[in-house]
Each structure stands twice: as structure tokens, then as C-alpha cells.
Amino acid sequence: AVCSMGNSTSRLYSVLAKTLSSGAVSQHQDCLEQLDSAQLDPIDPKDLLEECQIVLQKRPPRFQRNFVNLKKNTSSNHRPIRVMQWNILAQALGEGKDNFVQCPMEALKWEERKCLILEEILAYKPDILCLQEVDHYFDTFEPLLSRLGYQCTFFPKPWSPCLDVEHNNGPDGCAMFFLKERFELISSANIRLTAMKLKTNQVAIAQTLKCHETGRLFCIAVTHLKARTGWERFRSAQGCDLLQNLKNITQGAKIPLIVCGDFNAEPTEEVYREFSNSSLNLNSAYKLLSPDGQSEPPYTTWKIRPSGECRHTLDYIWYSQHALNVNSALGLLTEEQIGPNRLPSFNYPSDHLSLVCDFSFNQDPDRLL
């Protein structure tokens, strides 16, 4: 049987046309089952990037962002591990709930916005990709990224707000992708976070990987904590639960750890202090961009809603500072680049900026805390 796989403005027999268009999932569940990544041919990332750029030819070009070299005088005998953290903005929320009053609905059109997201991922070529607010996992990200060589994992929220939106594409959740040529999966845990002993709507994925090149183990985790003001204690409890889970998985910091997430918490919040002061000896990688190495960036999200302008630092990449070095980090967009209407926009697909870091293992694997 031939499945209709949605519309695309891309050329000829397009890779992008093989991903379902918005709203098609419920109509084509049988097609999803046929999208077995093991049976699909690999994609050349250059070809996919070219197709994305054809779809986006009427939009402004990508913003230029540069990596900041943070490497000290320590030498590394292995290729760095590039980790990308990004809340990509759930399509259903962007169109139906978030009320970005300065963003035209045309800028949120999925057929083009997905290409902006893919273009950003393809530009930075992460070895590990951690995403939040993914509501097009099965019809877009899993079929495409698996063909780019990534192993893919998705854990949806139990009660996703996307499901309240008419013509939604299913629940949103956290997703993790790693390059199979670089890493072997040792263990994987889907964690439903608790707060005050109650199961919550927020989730995390934690995977222990083995680096083929070095033979070293490390744990990578992705999460998205509860949003909105007034929920600070709730986020704190979720953070404590996540840290406890990660302590167990890393055997009390014996295994190096990287935690990516939209914490929905400024650095002044308790949950931030919990991660900073944890026995896992974590540091926030983007602090290293500041002159003194002690301050977070001024913002990782910037949007305008009916209630006013929101500029906050909510997104982080935490890492085991005793076992890992941050070689470089991707600089943030400037206020001038973001523009007066803020995010999302025709230029940028999400209200959150992507964070990208290059890590290397400490050369003394026995030196811990």
C-alpha cells in the first residue's frame, strides 16, 4: 500500500516529503509502523541540508553564531564530544497556546519551521542531541535522524498540554539522539519525575554510553522541569528527584555526567543551587563564557506574550567538572540578531536558543572529586 506522506515544497523525490505533515499522524498510523529506520537508506547530511535550504529560500538566512574557545592548556588525545541542548518549541503549543504576539502565524508553519530546526542541527553536527517539547518525534525527528546515524529515544509527558490543542500531533516530551558510530548504549532509563512523593507530568531520559574511541563510560541526561512562576518549590523537588536518580545511575559520580535541560528556573532558584552544590560535583558549562566564569548568560529565551516581554536564563548544560573539560561553547544570539519582535521569528524557529558544547575527558580517569 502507498501512504500519503504529506506535502512539501522541496524538490523531486524529497527526503523531507517522507516525513508526515502536521496533523497526519492519526490518519496514517500504519505509515508510521512502516518507517522502520533499519530498513531505510542513510541520508547524506549535505543533501538534507540542501533540501532544507530550498524550502527556506524565501526566509532570511541563518544567524551567524561562533564558538568560543574555552580550552585551557590541557591536551586531549580524543575527538571532543559535541553536545547540543535545545527546547525546540512544540508545534501545537507554538500555534495553539503560547501566544507569541509579535510572531506572525506564517513564521510558525511546520513545513518550514521543521526545516529551520533541522538546519540548526545540521549546522552544528552534534554527537549527542538533547531536545525538549518534541511533538513531531515519530513523523519527523526519528525517521530523519536515525537515517543520519543517530540512535533515538523519546519519552513523552504523561499529560502533555499539546493534547489540549485541536489538530495536535500527539504529546510532547524529551528526546535524545546519539551517533551510533561514536557511542555504544550501555543502559537507558526513562524517569518520570516525582515531587513531594507524587508522580508529576515532567520526565527525563538518562543513558549511559561508552565512547568507542576512548572506552570511557559517561552518562547523558535530558529533562524539562515544570514551567511558570509560583512553582519554584515544585521544581526544586523535581530537581532533587532527578539528582537522586542520577546519583544511582552514575554510582555516586564514578561515571562522568552531562545533564541537558530546560529547567524553567533562573540561576536564583533553589533547583539551580541544588545542582550547583550537588555531591555529583556539577558545573554549568555556559558560565564559562562569562569573564569570571561564575555568571550565567543574560538570557537563553526571549519572547513577547500578551502579559509582556520575557527574557530569562532557563536552559543549561551541566557537567562533571572533575571528569570532563569544556573545550568550547557556542555563543548566544545578540539582541540585535534576535530583533525587536524577539523569538520565535522567520529567522529562528524556537523561543529558546540552542546551547552547544564540546567536551573532552579529563586525562586522569582515576581522579574524581
Side-chain angles (χ1 to χ4, degrees), residues 15-313:
V15 168
L16 290 173
K18 292 181 185 178
T19 64
L20 294 169
S21 62
S22 179
V25 174
S26 60
Q27 303 168 37
H28 298 288
Q29 285 293 339
D30 55 331
C31 299
L32 286 181
E33 293 168 12
Q34 293 175 25
L35 284 172
D36 182 355
S37 58
Q39 299 174 10
L40 297 174
D41 294 331
I43 303 170
D44 186 326
K46 292 180 181 177
D47 291 342
L48 181 57
L49 181 59
E50 188 178 324
E51 292 208 2
C52 287
Q53 290 168 343
I54 290 170
V55 174
L56 297 170
Q57 57 190 337
K58 293 182 181 178
R59 292 209 179 200
R62 277 186 70 256
F63 292 124
Q64 182 62 41
R65 298 169 66 185
N66 297 316
F67 280 90
V68 179
N69 184 14
L70 301 168
K71 197 170 183 179
K72 298 175 183 174
N73 295 323
T74 54
S75 60
S76 173
N77 58 7
H78 67 89
R79 285 182 296 159
I81 297 169
R82 177 163 291 181
V83 176
M84 184 174 188
Q85 147 61 29
W86 199 12
N87 178 332
I88 60 171
L89 174 61
Q91 184 64 20
L93 300 184
E95 288 185 310
K97 279 202 165 191
D98 279 347
N99 295 318
F100 301 116
V101 292
Q102 296 294 98
C103 178
M105 286 301 290
E106 185 69 15
L108 297 171
K109 182 181 175 185
W110 178 244
E111 286 300 312
E112 294 181 5
R113 198 171 79 86
K114 73 177 179 184
C115 291
L116 275 180
I117 295 170
L118 290 167
E119 186 182 43
E120 181 97 341
I121 294 167
L122 291 163
Y124 299 122
K125 304 173 186 169
D127 299 303
I128 302 170
L129 173 63
C130 294
L131 302 179
Q132 300 87 37
E133 290 200 22
V134 179
D135 63 346
H136 276 270
Y137 175 81
F138 293 104
D139 63 1
T140 299
F141 294 104
E142 194 278 337
L144 287 174
L145 292 175
S146 63
R147 295 176 68 186
L148 291 170
Y150 290 91
Q151 183 154 329
C152 314
T153 305
F154 176 62
F155 192 23
K157 294 174 184 172
W159 313 296
S160 167
C162 293
L163 299 177
D164 296 334
V165 178
E166 193 176 2
H167 307 304
N168 67 76
N169 200 64
D172 77 301
C174 292
M176 186 183 294
F177 310 84
F178 67 84
L179 285 177
K180 291 184 284 187
E181 70 173 16
R182 291 213 66 185
F183 311 108
E184 174 189 351
L185 179 63
I186 303 301
S187 66
S188 183
N190 287 353
I191 303 165
R192 184 171 170 188
L193 298 175
T194 63
M196 298 86 169
K197 299 184 179 180
L198 297 174
K199 291 183 177 179
T200 72
N201 194 34
Q202 280 65 47
V203 300
I205 303 168
Q207 297 190 330
T208 301
L209 306 180
K210 182 177 181 179
C211 175
H212 290 316
E213 191 174 336
T214 64
R216 300 279 295 272
L217 294 179
F218 67 101
C219 177
I220 178 81
V222 57
T223 195
H224 187 187
L225 302 187
K226 173 66 181 171
R228 298 194 174 86
T229 55
W231 292 86
E232 291 81 5
R233 287 185 62 201
F234 198 82
R235 281 190 286 274
S236 173
Q238 289 182 326
C240 286
D241 183 51
L242 179 57
L243 284 168
Q244 187 56 55
N245 275 278
L246 295 174
K247 285 174 188 175
N248 294 337
I249 291 168
T250 62
Q251 301 167 29
K254 288 183 180 177
I255 299 172
L257 173 64
I258 299 170
V259 186
C260 296
D262 174 358
F263 279 60
N264 275 306
E266 292 271 14
T268 52
E269 270 199 38
E270 182 63 31
V271 68
Y272 182 93
R273 292 192 290 274
E274 287 164 0
F275 270 73
S276 294
N277 301 326
S278 163
S279 62
L280 293 172
N281 197 22
L282 300 173
N283 193 22
S284 174
Y286 264 72
K287 280 168 51 176
L288 301 179
L289 288 180
S290 66
D292 61 358
Q294 299 299 314
S295 305
E296 292 289 353
Y299 51 83
T300 62
T301 178
W302 202 342
K303 58 202 135 196
I304 301 175
R305 285 179 165 150
S307 57
E309 194 160 346
C310 309
R311 189 184 93 148
H312 300 293
T313 299

